[in-house]
Structures are given as structure tokens and as C-alpha cells.
Amino acid sequence: MTPASDRPFWDQRFSGSDYVYGTAPNDFLADVAARIPAGPVLCLAEGEGRNAVFLAARGHAVTAVDQSTAGLAKAAALAARRGVSLTTTVADLADYAVAPGTWSGIVAIFMHLPPALRATVLARAAAGLRPGGVFVLECYTPAQLARTTGGPRDPALLAGLAELRAALPGLDFEIARELDRDVTEGAYHTGLASVVQLLARRPA
Ligand SMILES: C[S@@+](CC[C@H](N)C(=O)[O-])C[C@H]1O[C@@H](n2cnc3c(N)ncnc32)[C@H](O)[C@@H]1O
């Protein structure tokens, strides 16, 4: 277990009253949210709920999954403050079965997992989409190790475009790119960063 995939690490990080990644949604998700069809959305590794609450406010029935009880308690509190409802599920993604063929959207923002679990969760996500449903991902790439603007320091938790594409069988990629962009999203995402962005759709 590395710190960034360790539950006590995340419960500690989320233990304060501040939302450490902010309460605004991830920039990439906000840009592409209109491309998620109406219907239920699953947010994986959702932390304190900024993305889930944003999607719930857009009218989706959202389930947020994370290993951190502290994070999801803050997600529920943010949802209540915004007047939206959210289903929260505390689970290690290793043990979380994504219902197949069910979701209009599955969202993974800065979900950094060890390689074997990453492959398992991405395969479950691909299978979890209903026809026309989309998978949305942004995460740091290995190039981010040269920067000090956020993300795990363990190279095993970082993946690039080629690996991620290969791990999502049967989907059509509408966006699939690596880029450097300013990620200023809370206290731990603090500037120019090397990221990968995916929007991939299950054929209708
Ligand atoms: C950088 S935070 C991102 C949170 C959120 N997606 C966001 O963008 O604000 C990474 C999240 O991944 C979660 N996580 C890491 N490994 C996990 C695992 N094996 N099962 C469930 N959640 C995990 C952590 O608990 C943490 O909430």
C-alpha cells in the first residue's frame, strides 16, 4: 500500500473543514459534462464530492464511491448545502462491483491506483456503461513527477494515455490526449501540470 492509495492517509487529508480540492468541479469535467447523457452517474474515487455534487446539480442521479469515510461525509454535507441528493458508498475500489451496462456516465478524476487495481477498475468502468454512456477521466501522467504541483510521488500510481486507452476496451474515444495545463483545484493541485484527459463512449 502506498500513501496515496491508503485509507488512513485520505481520512487524515480530509479531516479538516476545508475542502482540500475545492468545492468547484474539476475543469475538464465541467468542460465535457454536457456530453454525458441523462441518467445515473457513478463517480469513482470521489473524495469530498465536488464533482458528484456538480453532476447532481445538473440533474443526474449520482453515486459517489470512495474509501474515505471522512471524504464522503464532506461530500454529503456539500450536497445538503447545495440542495441536491447524492448516494455515497464507502468502499475500497478493489471490492466495489460496478453494475454492468448501467451508467450514463462514469467519472474518475485524479483516481490514482496501483497498476493491477487500475486495470481492474478501468475494465469494470468500461463494462459499466450503458450504450451511449461515457467515461470521463483526468489524472496526472508520469511526466508530473518532474513537477511539484500535485499528484502522487509514486510512479506506479501514474499512467499515460497508451496504457489507459488499452485498459478501456470496446469504447469510442472522443477525447484522448496528454497535455500540460494549469490545474489549480484546491490546496494540493497548484499549477502547471502534466495530465491525461479521456472521454470515451460505449457505442449506442
Ligand atoms: C486526489 S483525490 C481525488 C478526489 C476527487 N476525485 C476529486 O477530484 O476531488 C483521490 C481519491 O482517491 C481515493 N482512493 C484512492 N485509492 C482508492 C481505493 N483503492 N478505493 C477507493 N478510493 C480510493 C482517495 O480516498 C481519494 O479520495
Side-chain angles (χ1 to χ4, degrees):
M1 191 75 77
T2 71
S5 62
D6 181 53
R7 179 177 169 173
F9 172 89
W10 287 105
D11 277 336
Q12 173 62 33
R13 175 160 287 194
F14 296 145
S15 63
S17 57
D18 285 349
Y19 283 72
V20 300
Y21 300 107
T23 55
N26 165 257
D27 294 334
F28 176 59
L29 175 64
D31 284 348
V32 302
R35 292 159 75 161
I36 303 174
V41 173
L42 176 65
C43 291
L44 299 171
E46 178 49 18
E48 297 169 305
R50 62 190 178 121
N51 303 305
V53 167
F54 164 75
L55 291 165
R58 290 184 57 84
H60 294 285
V62 180
T63 298
V65 182
D66 200 281
Q67 66 189 344
S68 170
T69 308
L72 289 182
K74 288 166 81 177
L78 182 61
R81 279 214 303 281
R82 297 269 174 89
V84 297
S85 71
L86 208 58
T87 300
T88 58
T89 301
V90 177
D92 187 325
L93 287 171
D95 306 321
Y96 183 76
V98 178
T102 298
W103 302 95
S104 292
I106 299 181
V107 173
I109 303 297
F110 300 117
M111 179 186 79
H112 293 283
L113 303 172
L117 180 57
R118 179 162 71 233
T120 298
V121 171
L122 292 174
R124 288 178 187 158
L129 294 172
R130 58 172 62 166
V134 299
F135 178 65
V136 179
L137 172 147
E138 181 170 59
C139 62
Y140 293 115
T141 70
Q144 180 66 6
L145 288 172
R147 304 186 188 277
T148 56
T149 52
R153 298 292 88 191
D154 179 352
L157 299 181
L158 298 164
L161 179 57
E163 180 195 319
L164 295 171
R165 276 190 85 123
L168 292 162
L171 305 186
D172 294 336
F173 288 84
E174 298 180 8
I175 298 172
R177 62 195 176 204
E178 291 184 354
L179 72 159
D180 293 341
R181 76 168 188 94
D182 179 12
V183 179
T184 302
E185 302 184 1
Y188 292 96
H189 292 166
T190 58
L192 188 65
S194 298
V195 298
V196 54
Q197 299 177 337
L198 296 178
L199 186 139
R201 192 178 301 272
R202 172 158 297 287

